[in-house]
Amino acid sequence: MSLKDKLKARIAADGPMGVDAFMTACLHDPEHGYYATRPALGEAGDFITAPLVSQMFGELIGLWAVETWRHLGRPAPFRLVEVGPGDGTLFSDMLRAAKLAPDFLAAADLWLVETSGPLAAIQHQRLGDTAAHWAGSLAEVPGGALVILVANEVLDCLPVTQFVRRKEGWAERVVGLDQAGELAFGLGPPRPAQDMAPEGTMIEMSAAQADFTSAVAGRVLKDGGAALLIDYGGEEGGGDTLQALRRHQKVDVLDTPGEADVTVHADFRALRMAVKAVGAKAGILTQGDFLRRLGIEQRAAALSRAAPERAEVIARQLGRLIGDDQMGQLFKVAGLYRGADGPPPGFEAQR
Ligand code: SAH
């Protein structure tokens, strides 16, 4: 039985499901979910991420982690954590760049937080005999030591609920069955509302993104440290941002559940509120600004000088990561920290 048939049977028995439950099934159903069975990153897969565009990305994040650790007083031991490490490219690029700081590597207790069995296996393989630990959730990573945490494109796979404004109030967008018994979007009963939102307005909310952000900010506040949460999205609220990608093409979200990656935009306004509620601080930059502040243009120039035959490729990769019409503006980098420590490298106020 395919996931589509399984979902149809579930809806026939229990009624329509929220977009959040639908997303969770598509990504994590133990038998058919995309991440549980067939995650495929890279050119030959379904989607590509910044660390796979160029090794410069992971190397600069690695140097950021070293600088952050120095800024926080070089504690030993401390925990270096990546959540959702994909195929392990970002983590291994970070560790390679950090080799220039052997004291950092000696002090680092390495943790990868991964829910996907197939991806954890690929990460094990890529890291070889590097001494690292795996956990299924951030809660399983022991506290009691300063934490430097990175999560790239993780918020975007945490589920959202969607609501549409009807005359009578807000109605939850749900996945149900149409006349022919096929999966179809519909609306639940409207809940009375007093606001002036125009009819037809669609909003998205993610309790899961807020909970994850709170957990990271709470850990930073309690144990000290800093975190980078990197994703596409913004602080404006983008209406319906649910999309499915298969072999780099957008496909109908309802068409092939479990066979495509399903994502949403990260809600950086909600992130800001969650961090503030915990009592931590967040700086938010575009990916382009953040990487420029870390010196990506100088890094690209140095790489091109060392290997002139690769200069064109390096220029293209640089453009992809920081170009305004590519990942540079759409992607944001949130830096989470404790007020008393001051902002981590890259997030200092600009003169
Ligand atoms: N950070 C990597 C991979 C991004 S893909 C990169 O930049 O290339 C999303 C990653 O998040 C995958 O490793 C996926 O298995 C993981 N993931 C998905 N849902 C998750 C959840 N609920 N908690 C933690 N990790 C999750």
Side-chain angles (χ1 to χ4, degrees), residues 50-51 57 61 90 149-156 209 212-213 227-238 241 264-272 282-292 294 320-336 346-347:
F57 184 83
I61 304 277
L90 174 55
L149 180 148
V150 174
N152 187 54
E153 292 210 36
V154 174
L155 289 169
D156 68 7
Q209 287 184 19
F212 176 69
T213 305
L228 291 181
L229 305 184
I230 309 169
D231 231 302
Y232 47 100
E235 295 189 66
E236 305 81 35
T241 70
V264 289
H265 281 200
D267 181 349
F268 282 90
R269 182 169 45 184
L271 176 144
R272 229 186 243 291
I284 299 177
L285 297 169
T286 64
Q287 176 168 303
D289 283 343
F290 179 68
L291 292 177
R292 273 188 291 267
L294 297 188
R320 253 180 112 173
L321 291 176
I322 68 172
D324 284 349
D325 54 348
Q326 302 198 51
M327 300 175 86
Q329 293 273 4
L330 176 61
F331 280 71
K332 310 292 186 301
V333 182
L336 276 48
F347 293 93

Side-chain angles (χ1 to χ4, degrees), residues 27-28 34-36 39 41-42 47-52 57 82-91 113-117 119-120 123 135-138 150-159 208 212 230 261 263:
L27 295 179
H28 303 296
Y34 180 75
Y35 281 115
L41 286 74
F47 64 99
I48 194 151
T49 60
L52 301 179
F57 184 83
E82 185 179 356
V83 181
D87 71 358
T89 298
L90 174 55
F91 207 61
V113 177
E114 181 55 73
T115 52
S116 161
L119 285 179
Q123 293 153 20
S137 73
L138 181 58
V150 174
N152 187 54
E153 292 210 36
V154 174
L155 289 169
D156 68 7
C157 41
L158 300 180
F212 176 69
I230 309 169
D261 186 32
T263 63

Side-chain angles (χ1 to χ4, degrees), residues 3 19-20 22-28 34-35 46-47 153-160 185 232 241-246 251-265:
L3 182 55
V19 171
D20 51 349
F22 177 75
M23 236 181 122
T24 299
C26 288
L27 295 179
H28 303 296
Y34 180 75
Y35 281 115
D46 297 302
F47 64 99
E153 292 210 36
V154 174
L155 289 169
D156 68 7
C157 41
L158 300 180
V160 294
F185 283 110
Y232 47 100
T241 70
L242 187 67
Q243 68 165 19
L245 274 188
R246 198 176 177 188
V251 295
D252 188 325
V253 178
L254 301 182
D255 214 27
T256 49
E259 293 172 35
D261 186 32
V262 177
T263 63
V264 289
H265 281 200

Side-chain angles (χ1 to χ4, degrees), residues 49-63 89-90 92-94 96-97 291 296 299 303 310 314 317-318 321:
T49 60
L52 301 179
V53 167
S54 163
Q55 65 186 66
M56 290 189 287
F57 184 83
E59 289 169 356
L60 286 169
I61 304 277
L63 297 177
T89 298
L90 174 55
S92 63
D93 287 347
M94 286 175 67
R96 191 177 56 254
L291 292 177
I296 194 167
R299 176 92 188 117
L303 287 174
R310 294 198 62 235
I314 292 165
Q317 293 172 341
L318 177 69
L321 291 176

